[in-house]
Amino acid sequence: MSASSTFNTNFKQYLTSTKVKGADIPAGLQELLLAVADTCSTLSHEVAQGALIGLLGSAGTGNVQGEVQQKLDVIANDLLIDGVQGCKSLAGLASEEMELPLPVQGTGDYLLLFDPLDGSSNIDVNVSIGTIFSVLKKQDPATPLQTEDFLLSGRHQVAAGYVVYGPQTTMALTLGDGVVMFTLNKVTGEFVLIKHAVEIAHSTKEFAINMSNMRHWAEPVRRYVDECLAGVSGERDKDFNMRWIASMVADVHRVLSRGGIFMYPWDQREPHKPGKLRLMYEANPMSFLVEQAGGASTNGDQLIMDMVPTELHERVSVMLGSKEEIERLQHYHSQV
């Protein structure tokens, strides 16, 4: 497909014309994904207005994890619920901001999970933030919705993606057959296809991690980062650049766009917690995207996509990106 024809394809046209592994995208899944995209288009406008319409600052409330919510966290959560709960294909949804799943009026068998506004601590300083989403299928559509319906490994995802609100509003999407990207045309309000078959280079010279926590990391992560910092004088024999935005959706977007590795590992400050990021709302959808782009994702002990969650808001250590770097990190963890 030529560049000119690509930029003439909007999201709805893409969904209706594309085949995934030789099959049409189910109409119910199309309906749900279009509702998510339309809501994110609206949310992009809200984010861009910021202080002009009084949306910056704390909401004065906490989410289910006890974290302070920003005003836009609450607004994004409400917008997404309102935007999708009319979908007939939807059986229920779960949000990082809510303790329990929410049944909906639909009679379908799709389940939606989302982080309505990832990186919200960056809202007030005008740094890129985003929405992350994951779609599962309810294993028994005839039974009432319950938490256990969502507790499936990442391998069960039928779709996943994110929308990053930055200089452009861009959506990355996988349906299990590669990764594509769209950018929001703010005049028409439509997402337009900009990139097919996104690929992450197997090797890299760039890593992203919060270096201020270095003294708290496990030995395999310290070893890996020490080697990166040693550059051409160390055993890696190449210089690395470090990046850290503190917004997972923005950091992963950079990895998908130009390669690299993103790490948010376990640390000893809260040794009882396996990690900081949420398996269901952040790690699984991002791992699905990264694997479909030729990369890999691990918690150190196993591939994140193979993990079977035991609770809705389970946390996990996350290391994802260029495949050779992830394999090196896995090897270092196996030696401990």
Side-chain angles (χ1 to χ4, degrees), residues 135-137 139 152-159 288 305 308:
V135 181
L136 302 168
K137 292 203 80 172
Q139 299 299 287
L152 303 171
S153 77
R155 301 290 175 201
H156 288 82
Q157 293 175 103
V158 296
F288 194 16
M305 291 271 283
V308 179

Side-chain angles (χ1 to χ4, degrees), residues 25 50-51 60 69 71 90-91 111 121 133-134 146 177 202 204 225 227 246 254 260 276 283 289 302 306 314-315 318:
I25 300 170
Q69 290 178 307
K71 292 177 183 178
L90 188 62
L111 302 171
S121 63
F133 60 91
S134 170
Q146 54 187 346
D177 194 10
H202 284 191
T204 186
V225 173
E227 290 177 355
R254 185 186 58 252
K276 175 72 171 176
L289 285 162
Q302 66 182 124
D306 291 333
E314 186 169 333
R315 296 177 187 258
V318 176

Side-chain angles (χ1 to χ4, degrees), residues 57-64 66-71 73-75 97:
S58 170
T61 57
N63 64 15
V64 65
E67 299 164 332
V68 175
Q69 290 178 307
Q70 302 297 310
K71 292 177 183 178
D73 282 321
V74 178
I75 290 169
E97 301 296 330

Side-chain angles (χ1 to χ4, degrees), residues 2-323:
S2 69
S4 59
S5 60
T6 294
F7 297 152
N8 288 327
T9 303
N10 64 35
F11 189 46
K12 183 176 182 178
Q13 291 166 337
Y14 172 82
L15 293 176
T16 57
S17 64
T18 295
K19 293 186 181 297
V20 177
K21 299 177 180 177
D24 291 336
I25 300 170
L29 182 56
Q30 290 186 41
E31 175 197 30
L32 178 56
L33 293 173
L34 281 169
V36 171
D38 287 345
T39 304
C40 289
S41 175
T42 300
L43 185 52
S44 174
H45 176 75
E46 299 291 296
V47 169
Q49 296 298 299
L52 297 178
I53 53 175
L55 294 186
L56 299 188
S58 170
T61 57
N63 64 15
V64 65
Q65 289 87 24
E67 299 164 332
V68 175
Q69 290 178 307
Q70 302 297 310
K71 292 177 183 178
L72 274 170
D73 282 321
V74 178
I75 290 169
N77 193 66
D78 291 345
L79 279 174
L80 280 160
I81 292 172
D82 291 344
V84 304
Q85 65 179 354
C87 293
K88 294 179 180 178
S89 60
L90 188 62
L93 57 85
S95 167
E96 183 183 314
E97 301 296 330
M98 303 188 304
E99 182 178 2
L100 298 172
L102 180 67
V104 296
Q105 299 301 313
T107 56
D109 57 357
Y110 287 108
L111 302 171
L112 177 67
L113 301 99
F114 56 83
D115 178 354
L117 210 59
D118 176 74
S120 57
S121 63
N122 284 320
I123 291 172
D124 288 359
V125 292
N126 202 22
V127 171
S128 294
I129 54 179
T131 298
I132 308 171
F133 60 91
S134 170
V135 181
L136 302 168
K137 292 203 80 172
K138 193 170 183 288
Q139 299 299 287
D140 187 352
T143 60
L145 185 73
Q146 54 187 346
T147 298
E148 287 70 23
D149 293 324
F150 293 84
L151 302 183
L152 303 171
S153 77
R155 301 290 175 201
H156 288 82
Q157 293 175 103
V158 296
Y162 63 76
V163 176
V164 58
Y165 312 112
Q168 304 92 40
T169 295
T170 299
M171 174 169 58
L173 175 73
T174 182
L175 299 168
D177 194 10
V179 176
V180 290
M181 285 188 180
F182 303 80
T183 289
L184 180 65
N185 181 329
K186 295 190 177 182
V187 175
T188 64
E190 295 177 324
F191 281 94
V192 178
L193 184 64
I194 59 166
K195 190 179 293 186
H196 280 280
V198 175
E199 292 186 9
I200 300 173
H202 284 191
S203 62
T204 186
K205 294 183 178 181
E206 192 164 88
F207 69 99
I209 196 167
N210 186 349
M211 287 293 293
S212 68
N213 294 328
M214 188 170 188
R215 66 192 184 281
H216 303 298
W217 299 332
E219 190 277 332
V221 177
R222 288 200 304 269
R223 175 182 174 184
Y224 175 84
V225 173
D226 281 342
E227 290 177 355
C228 292
L229 296 176
V232 293
S233 62
E235 71 172 74
R236 299 302 304 275
D237 195 30
K238 60 180 178 180
D239 288 325
F240 282 76
N241 288 325
M242 194 198 81
R243 298 287 185 266
W244 182 248
I245 303 175
S247 170
M248 185 191 192
V249 70
D251 278 310
V252 173
H253 184 65
R254 185 186 58 252
V255 170
L256 281 175
S257 298
R258 70 183 194 199
I261 180 172
F262 165 84
M263 295 171 281
Y264 206 139
W266 171 91
D267 71 52
Q268 62 187 1
R269 289 172 298 175
E270 295 181 286
H272 61 287
K273 289 185 179 181
K276 175 72 171 176
L277 299 176
R278 283 75 177 182
L279 175 60
M280 304 291 287
Y281 309 104
E282 297 166 316
N284 269 343
M286 292 307 203
S287 297
F288 194 16
L289 285 162
V290 166
E291 282 197 8
Q292 286 294 314
S297 178
T298 182
N299 70 346
D301 297 321
Q302 66 182 124
L303 298 178
I304 285 175
M305 291 271 283
D306 291 333
M307 298 179 66
V308 179
T310 58
E311 57 184 83
L312 198 58
H313 298 285
E314 186 169 333
R315 296 177 187 258
V316 65
S317 171
V318 176
M319 290 162 276
L320 58 77
S322 296
K323 196 167 187 178

